[in-house]
Amino acid sequence: MLQVLYIFIPMLAAIFVPFLYRRMKNIHTGWFVLAVPATLAVIYATYIAQVAKGEVFTAELPWIPSLDISIVSYLDGLSLLFSLLITGIGSLVVLYSIFYLDKHKEKLHNFYVYLLLFMSAMLGVVQSDHLITLYFFWELTSISSFLLIGYWYNRDASRFGALKSMMITVGGGLMMLGGFVLLYLMGGTYSIRELIAIAPNLVDQPLFTWSLVLLLLGAFTKSAQFPFYIWLPDAMEAPTPVSAYLHSATMVKAGIYLVARFTPIFAASELWVWLVTGVGILTLFWGSFFAVKQTDLKGILAFSTVSQLGLIMSLLGASAVAFHANDSVDTIKFAAFAAIFHLINHATFKGSLFMIAGIVDHETGTRDIRKLGGLMSIMPISFTVAAIGSLSMAGLPPFNGFLSKEMFLTAMLALQKFELFGFETWGVLFPIVAWVASIFTFIYSFYFVFRTFNGNYKPDQLPHKPHEAPMGMLISPIFLAALVVIIFFVPNFIGNTFVKPAVQAIQPFLYDTPQDVDIHVNAWHGITPELLMTIGIILIGVLLFVALPKWQGMYQRFPQSLTLNNGYDKIMQGLDVGLNRISRRYMTGSMRHYLLYMFSGIAIIVIGSLFVKDAFSLSLQGSSPIRPYEIILIVVLLIGTSITILAKSRLTAIIGLGTVGYTVALFFVIFNAPDLALTQLVIETISVALFLLAFYHLPKLGKREERMRFQLNRAIVSIAVGVMVTLVALSAHSQKLIPSISKYYEETVYSLAGGGNIVNVILVDYRGFDTLFEITVLGIAGMAILAMIKLRMNRKEKTHENK
Amino acid sequence: MKTNDVIIQFTAKIVFFIIFFFSIHIFMAGHYTPGGGFVGGLLTSSAIVLLVLAFDINTVRHILPINYTYLTAIGLLLALATAAFPMFVGKPFFTHFFDYFDLPLLGKQSLHTAMLFDSGVYLVVVGVTMTIIQTIGEDE
C-alpha cells in the first residue's frame, strides 16, 4: 500500500509547487522540488539489499475492482533499477535546473509541475504490474513530456517538436494498448507476472503475433527506434535539463523497459527476436551514422541517444535468443547483462553530456558546433567532464562504456554461432554492422568533444563572452562523470547489486536467483576477437576523425526529400490537405448530393441484405382478388405520378400531385377506410392550396418553365429505391409470422370502450397517447409557421431602422 | 377595379352554417360512425376559410374575434387534462370513463370522457389550421 503511494508522491508534491512559487519569491522553487526525488531515491535505496538477494515487493491499491483494475507496484530487480535511475538522475537534474533556469525570467511553477508529473508517470510505468495502469502511466509520460518539450511555448520550434513527439509517442501508445488488450484476451489476466507464468500457453494462440507487433510498436515509438526516432532530435527544443532527464535517462528508456519486461512472454517467438534485434541494430547504425552530420550540440547527442538505444534494444533482442540457446553458445547469455549494464552506463555518461551541452549553450549563447571551439582553457571543468563522457560513449578504457561495448561485441559475435531462426546465415551481419556503427560512435564522440573544446577559439562568433559555469551547475555532471569512472573500476559491484537482479527479471526461466547469473566482468579479458575489434575501431575511428573535413560533405549530398523527417512532414501535410480535400469532395453543401448518398445507401444495404440473407420470398397466398375499380384507380394514379414527374410547368406538377392525393383518398374509400378518406380529402385540398401559394410567390427573376433535367444517376437511385420498397413490401406480405391483434379491438370496442368506430376509438382511447403527441406536433408546426413569418418581418423592420 | 361579390358573399353566409353544423355532426358522431375531432376540426376551419375567401381576413376577424393561438393552447391543455385526470383518482394515465344517461330532450345517451379528449383534438386542429392560414394570408 505504502509502496504504491511512493509513485504518487511527486504528483502530490506538484500541487504545492505553484503556491511555493508565488509565496517564496526569493528562494528558487527548485530547492523545494529537489527534496522529492532525493527522498524517493533514499526510500528506494533501502530496497536494494533485499532485491539483490532476489526478493520482490508487491503492493496493490484497488482502483476499479469491478473491472479488475488496480494499481500494482511490483518491485523486482528491473523495476527497482529503473526507479533508482528515475529518482537519482531526477535529483541531479533538478539540482542542475536550479542553476540553469532563471528564477525571475522563467515560469518555474509550470516547469516543476510538469517535471514532477513526469516523474510520477515514469515511476508508475516501471513499477506497474497491471497492464491497464501501465498504459495509464505510459500516456501520462507522453503528455507530461509534451508539456515539457513545449515549455518555451512562444517558440515555433518548441511547439513543432512537442506536437511531433506527441503524435508519434501517443500513436505508439495506442498501438501498445491494443497489444495489451490482446494479451488480456489470450491470458485472461492483466497481471504481467501471471502472464509470464502462463507464457508457454500463449505462444500458439492466433492473437499472439498481433499483440507482439502492437506492443513493439509502442516500445519502438517511445524509445526512438528506426523509423520512429525522428521526434527525438526535434524534442531537443526543450530546456536542457528536460533533454538530459527525459531524452537520455528515463522516458526514452520506457520502451527499453517494456521490451525487457515482456521478454519472458514473447522471447519464444522468432519474430520477436528478429524484430527487436534487427530494428535495434539498424537504429544503432542509422543514429551513429547521422550523428556525425549534425552541427547542433544537442542534435549530436539526440542522434547518439537514438543509436545507443538501438544498441540496448539489439542486446535485448539477443537476450531473447538465450531462451532457445543451447550450451554451445554460452556467450549469448552476456546479452541481457550487457543491455542492463549499458543502460546504466548510458544514463550516466549521456546525462553528463547533455548537461555539458546545456552549460556550453548557457555560457556561450550558442549550441552551433561550427561557431564553437577552443573552450578547453576557458571551461576546463566542463571540458574534463565532456571528455570523460565522450570517451566513455566511444567505448574507451578506463571508462564504463568500454566494458559494455566489449560485452555488446561479445553478444553480437555469439549471435552468428546461434543455429536457429536462420541466424547461421544472416547472423554474421550483426557483428559487422555493430562494428561499423561503433566506428561512427567513436567519430561523433570525438567530434562532439574536440570540435567544442579544441581547435580555434572564435570569440567574434559567440553571443556571450564565455566563462566557466557556476559550481552549482557543475555538481551534477561532475557526479555523473565520477560514476562513469567508478563503474569502470568496480563493475562487479554494480553487476551484483543492480544488473543481476534485473537480468533475473528478464530471464526468469534461466535463473532462479540473481546469484545464479554467472557473469563476471573483467576489464582485461585477454586477447579476444572483441578486443581486436575495439583496437580496429580506435584505429579507423581516429583516421576517419582526422579526415572528417574531407568527407563530412557527403552528408549534404543525401537528398533532403528522402529523409524520414521529410516523410513525416509529407504524411502530416498530406493527411491534413488530403482529408480536407476528401471531406470537401463529398460535403458539397448540396442537399441533392446528401439525399443521393442516403437513398443509394439505404437501397444498397436493404437490397443487399435481402439477397445475402435470402429473405426475399413471394407468395400470393391470402391476397385478395383484384377488382376493376382498383385497376382504374391504379391507372389514374400512374398517370398522376407521371404528370408530376414529367410536367414542364410546376403548376401542372402541383395539379398532378393533387390528382395522386385524391386518388389515394378514393383508394381509402374502396378499401373501406372512411375516416382516412375524409381526412385525406381535406388535407390534400389544404396542401395543394399551400403549394399553389408557394408557387405564386416564386421570384420572377430566374423563374423558368422547364422540364426537370434527366440525370442518369438520380434515375438509377430512384428506381433502386422503388424496387427496394416493392421487394420489401412483397416479402413482408408473403411471410406473416404473427396474426394481427385487430381481433381484440373488434371484440372489445363496444364492451370496454363504449364506442362503435374502431378507428376513432383506437385514436382517442386505446392508443390516445399517440394522438396526444400528434396534436402537439400540429401545435408546434403552427407555432413554427407563425414564428417564422412574424420573426422574419421583425428582422426586416430592424434592418430598415439600421439604415 | 372593385368587383361585386354579392352572390358569393350571400352563398357563403348560408353555406358556412351548413358546413359548420356538418362538422359538429361529424365530430359528435365520431365515436360510432366515421368522423371525429380531426376531420371535424378541419371542416370547421374550411367553413371559416370560406368566409375568408368571400369577405377578407379583417372582416372575418371582426366576425369571429378568436385568437387561434390561444385556441390551440386550450385544446392541448384539455387533451392533456383529460388524459391526466385519472391519475388523481388512482387510475393509470389515459383511462377513459363512460356510462349511459337519460338526458332531457335527447333521451338515453352515452357520455364518454373520450369526447373531452376529442374536443381537445378538435380545438387544436381548428387553432393550428387557422393560425397557418391567417399568418400566411397576412404576410406581405
Side-chain angles (χ1 to χ4, degrees):
Chain A
M1 181 71 181
L2 203 58
Q3 194 187 319
V4 177
L5 293 181
Y6 295 152
I7 297 175
F8 292 98
I9 286 181
M11 215 183 262
L12 295 173
I15 296 172
F16 299 102
V17 168
F19 296 108
L20 289 169
Y21 176 73
R22 293 257 180 258
R23 289 289 158 82
M24 310 268 194
K25 283 272 183 209
N26 295 324
I27 307 170
H28 196 285
T29 318
W31 290 113
F32 302 109
V33 175
L34 182 58
V36 178
T39 318
L40 281 173
V42 172
I43 292 173
Y44 285 123
T46 58
Y47 286 93
I48 293 174
Q50 283 148 299
V51 169
K53 287 193 198 110
E55 288 181 45
V56 291
F57 296 88
T58 22
E60 187 169 348
L61 182 70
W63 181 11
I64 312 174
S66 57
L67 294 180
D68 191 22
I69 292 177
S70 53
I71 299 171
V72 185
S73 163
Y74 175 72
L75 273 179
D76 62 353
L78 191 63
S79 43
L80 182 68
L81 172 68
F82 271 92
S83 304
L84 281 167
L85 275 179
I86 292 159
T87 50
I89 300 212
S91 315
L92 295 175
V93 162
V94 171
L95 181 66
Y96 175 76
S97 72
I98 293 171
F99 296 92
Y100 186 83
L101 294 172
D102 190 282
K103 70 180 166 199
H104 299 299
K105 288 181 197 154
E106 303 284 357
K107 297 186 175 73
L108 289 177
H109 51 311
N110 289 354
F111 182 79
Y112 287 112
V113 167
Y114 302 158
L115 198 73
L116 288 171
L117 202 62
F118 172 78
M119 206 178 280
S120 264
M122 208 54 218
L123 285 174
V125 166
V126 300
Q127 293 184 15
S128 285
D129 184 52
H130 192 283
L131 292 175
I132 299 300
T133 43
L134 173 54
Y135 172 71
F136 167 74
F137 287 117
W138 183 277
E139 290 300 5
L140 200 57
T141 62
S142 295
I143 292 166
S144 50
S145 97
F146 167 77
L147 291 168
L148 283 167
I149 297 168
Y151 174 65
W152 286 313
Y153 52 80
N154 41 10
R155 298 184 188 170
D156 279 341
S158 294
R159 294 199 304 270
F160 176 74
L163 194 63
K164 193 172 181 180
S165 73
M166 180 85 159
M167 296 302 266
I168 294 177
T169 55
V170 169
L174 283 173
M175 298 293 154
M176 189 187 77
L177 178 64
F180 282 176
V181 171
L182 293 183
L183 267 181
Y184 173 73
L185 289 179
M186 287 188 293
T189 170
Y190 284 119
S191 164
I192 299 169
R193 274 171 303 159
E194 290 166 24
L195 282 172
I196 290 173
I198 58 167
N201 306 338
L202 301 179
V203 183
D204 299 326
Q205 301 222 22
L207 296 176
F208 184 78
T209 311
W210 279 109
S211 71
L212 187 157
V213 170
L214 289 173
L215 188 123
L216 275 186
L217 275 176
F220 287 169
T221 48
K222 199 74 159 181
S223 276
Q225 299 295 299
F226 186 87
F228 307 112
Y229 70 87
I230 48 171
W231 65 267
L232 191 62
D234 282 312
M236 290 301 129
E237 291 302 323
T240 305
V242 173
S243 310
Y245 188 42
L246 272 68
H247 306 131
S248 74
T250 54
M251 190 178 84
V252 287
K253 290 190 174 127
I256 301 279
Y257 168 81
L258 197 75
V259 169
R261 182 53 89 197
F262 284 88
T263 295
I265 298 178
F266 292 112
S269 154
E270 178 184 351
L271 184 65
W272 172 272
V273 173
W274 272 106
L275 268 182
V276 178
T277 323
V279 171
I281 203 97
L282 177 61
T283 315
L284 166 66
F285 172 73
W286 193 274
S288 63
F289 183 68
F290 282 102
V292 188
K293 179 193 179 186
Q294 307 301 314
T295 52
D296 177 31
L297 282 186
K298 284 172 85 176
I300 302 174
L301 292 178
F303 273 93
S304 136
T305 305
V306 168
S307 139
Q308 305 275 322
L309 291 170
L311 188 156
I312 302 174
M313 199 61 94
S314 67
L315 280 172
L316 283 175
S319 81
V321 172
F323 282 81
H324 312 273
N326 36 14
D327 289 336
S328 64
V329 199
D330 206 27
T331 42
I332 198 71
K333 287 183 179 173
F334 273 90
F337 190 91
I340 299 299
F341 193 55
H342 191 70
L343 185 124
I344 301 173
N345 295 343
H346 178 250
T348 56
F349 66 68
K350 191 53 65 63
S352 69
L353 285 178
F354 263 113
M355 290 177 188
I356 293 301
I359 287 173
V360 170
D361 184 19
H362 206 262
E363 303 307 332
T364 63
T366 182
R367 294 195 318 239
D368 193 331
I369 204 158
R370 287 166 298 192
K371 296 180 184 169
L372 296 165
L375 296 174
M376 197 194 284
S377 55
I378 302 167
M379 305 167 77
I381 305 175
S382 307
F383 167 68
T384 314
V385 173
I388 292 172
S390 296
L391 295 182
S392 174
M393 183 157 74
L396 296 181
F399 307 108
N400 57 8
F402 172 71
L403 303 174
S404 40
K405 168 73 60 64
E406 295 297 290
M407 278 190 282
F408 167 62
L409 293 175
T410 310
M412 286 299 129
L413 284 170
L415 266 186
Q416 57 174 336
K417 295 180 196 138
F418 181 67
E419 290 167 354
L420 193 69
F421 303 157
F423 271 103
E424 59 273 20
T425 43
W426 295 102
V428 71
L429 280 177
F430 284 98
I432 294 172
V433 176
W435 187 70
V436 175
S438 299
I439 293 173
F440 279 104
T441 307
F442 187 91
I443 297 169
Y444 73 68
S445 303
F446 271 55
Y447 176 64
F448 175 80
V449 67
F450 288 112
R451 280 297 158 84
T452 313
F453 292 98
N454 212 342
N456 302 323
Y457 179 47
K458 303 164 210 163
D460 49 320
Q461 292 199 7
L462 300 178
H464 303 323
K465 189 168 162 41
H467 52 79
E468 184 60 277
M471 204 54 217
M473 219 173 190
L474 285 167
I475 295 173
S476 304
I478 289 173
F479 183 81
L480 286 172
L483 277 181
V484 168
V485 183
I486 292 168
I487 292 175
F488 177 77
F489 289 106
V490 290
N492 290 308
F493 172 72
I494 300 289
N496 290 333
T497 322
F498 299 111
V499 183
K500 285 183 181 175
V503 169
Q504 193 236 331
I506 300 178
Q507 303 180 325
F509 298 128
L510 287 185
Y511 311 110
D512 290 329
T513 63
Q515 283 74 33
D516 293 350
V517 185
D518 48 351
I519 294 169
H520 190 81
V521 189
N522 282 323
W524 174 253
H525 41 75
I527 307 288
T528 52
E530 298 91 287
L531 192 70
L532 295 176
M533 283 169 89
T534 306
I535 292 170
I537 289 167
I538 296 172
L539 288 177
I540 298 179
V542 169
L543 275 178
L544 282 176
F545 175 67
V546 172
L548 186 61
K550 292 206 174 69
W551 59 272
Q552 206 177 17
M554 89 175 180
Y555 284 108
Q556 307 307 328
R557 303 244 177 97
F558 193 74
Q560 192 62 31
S561 55
L562 287 181
T563 56
L564 286 168
N565 275 322
N566 192 55
Y568 170 83
D569 291 342
K570 280 277 177 306
I571 288 174
M572 296 309 279
Q573 204 188 349
L575 282 177
D576 200 23
V577 175
L579 289 180
N580 202 353
R581 200 173 288 159
I582 290 173
S583 347
R584 269 167 203 278
R585 184 151 297 165
Y586 74 88
M587 301 291 283
T588 50
S590 156
M591 195 58 108
R592 288 180 183 177
H593 288 155
Y594 301 154
L595 287 174
L596 210 60
Y597 306 151
M598 284 188 238
F599 281 125
S600 41
I602 294 169
I604 288 168
I605 291 168
V606 172
I607 296 180
S609 52
L610 210 57
F611 284 98
V612 169
K613 294 275 175 194
D614 202 18
F616 180 72
S617 72
L618 181 63
S619 99
L620 294 174
Q621 206 179 7
S623 46
S624 328
I626 302 170
R627 291 168 295 174
Y629 287 130
E630 287 149 21
I631 296 173
I632 294 167
L633 282 182
I634 284 170
V635 170
V636 175
L637 198 67
L638 284 177
I639 292 171
T641 315
S642 318
I643 288 173
T644 313
I645 298 173
L646 300 175
K648 191 179 173 194
S649 141
R650 289 197 171 87
L651 201 59
T652 322
I654 293 169
I655 291 167
L657 206 59
T659 318
V660 173
Y662 288 128
T663 321
V664 170
L666 282 178
F667 265 115
F668 288 143
V669 170
I670 62 169
F671 288 138
N672 304 325
D675 292 272
L676 290 184
L678 272 175
T679 316
Q680 173 68 25
L681 276 174
V682 184
I683 286 291
E684 191 59 38
T685 313
I686 292 179
S687 49
V688 166
L690 287 176
F691 268 127
L692 288 174
L693 189 74
F695 169 75
Y696 183 74
H697 286 292
L698 278 176
K700 293 279 177 289
L701 196 70
K703 183 168 85 173
R704 270 167 303 178
E705 293 279 307
E706 62 180 24
R707 189 161 287 142
M708 190 167 64
R709 274 181 304 140
F710 178 79
Q711 282 184 320
L712 188 63
N713 54 351
R714 292 183 197 166
I716 291 172
V717 171
S718 354
I719 290 170
V721 171
V723 168
M724 170 195 90
V725 173
T726 314
L727 289 180
V728 169
L730 284 177
S731 310
H733 181 262
S734 305
Q735 38 200 345
K736 274 190 180 147
L737 301 175
I738 314 163
S740 162
I741 58 162
S742 55
K743 206 129 208 101
Y744 170 79
Y745 292 141
E746 255 173 64
E747 284 161 3
T748 59
V749 66
Y750 189 78
S751 56
L752 287 181
N757 177 356
I758 296 186
V759 176
N760 200 45
V761 171
I762 289 175
L763 282 181
V764 299
D765 197 342
Y766 292 119
R767 314 209 33 190
F769 226 146
D770 295 348
T771 314
L772 181 60
F773 289 104
E774 273 153 22
I775 59 175
T776 315
V777 167
L778 210 56
I780 291 170
M783 296 305 114
I785 289 173
L786 184 72
M788 211 163 68
I789 290 173
K790 295 282 180 207
L791 288 182
R792 193 198 61 189
M793 292 168 78
N794 282 350
R795 200 164 59 231
K796 263 187 189 166
E797 278 161 22
K798 266 184 193 152
T799 49
H800 283 298
E801 277 168 20
N802 287 346
K803 281 175 187 170
Chain B
M1 188 183 80
K2 189 161 168 55
T3 47
N4 196 344
D5 294 337
V6 66
I7 294 175
I8 189 169
Q9 288 181 353
F10 178 75
T11 323
K13 281 176 199 164
I14 300 167
V15 174
F16 169 78
F17 285 102
I18 298 173
I19 299 177
F20 181 70
F21 284 126
F22 181 60
S23 79
I24 296 295
H25 164 75
I26 266 204
F27 163 67
M28 290 293 198
H31 219 56
Y32 291 94
T33 54
F38 200 82
V39 185
L42 284 176
L43 280 178
T44 307
S45 26
S46 60
I48 303 173
V49 169
L50 182 65
L51 283 187
V52 173
L53 290 177
F55 299 91
D56 65 275
I57 263 186
N58 290 325
T59 321
V60 174
R61 183 176 292 164
H62 190 70
I63 303 167
L64 298 167
I66 303 168
N67 187 332
Y68 294 106
T69 325
Y70 288 173
L71 203 66
T72 313
I74 293 167
L76 276 174
L77 275 177
L78 185 63
L80 189 64
T82 317
F85 162 73
M87 289 167 72
F88 296 101
V89 295
K91 292 278 168 59
F93 187 67
F94 239 117
T95 313
H96 281 307
F97 304 98
F98 67 95
D99 209 342
Y100 298 89
F101 300 97
D102 271 320
L103 295 179
L105 287 180
L106 298 169
K108 188 170 181 250
Q109 288 293 335
S110 77
L111 285 184
H112 201 305
T113 47
M115 208 63 201
L116 282 175
F117 181 76
D118 229 9
S119 321
V121 176
Y122 174 86
L123 292 177
V124 171
V125 172
V126 174
V128 169
T129 340
M130 289 318 296
T131 310
I132 294 172
I133 288 165
Q134 230 176 38
T135 322
I136 296 176
E138 282 175 356
D139 185 31
E140 295 303 314

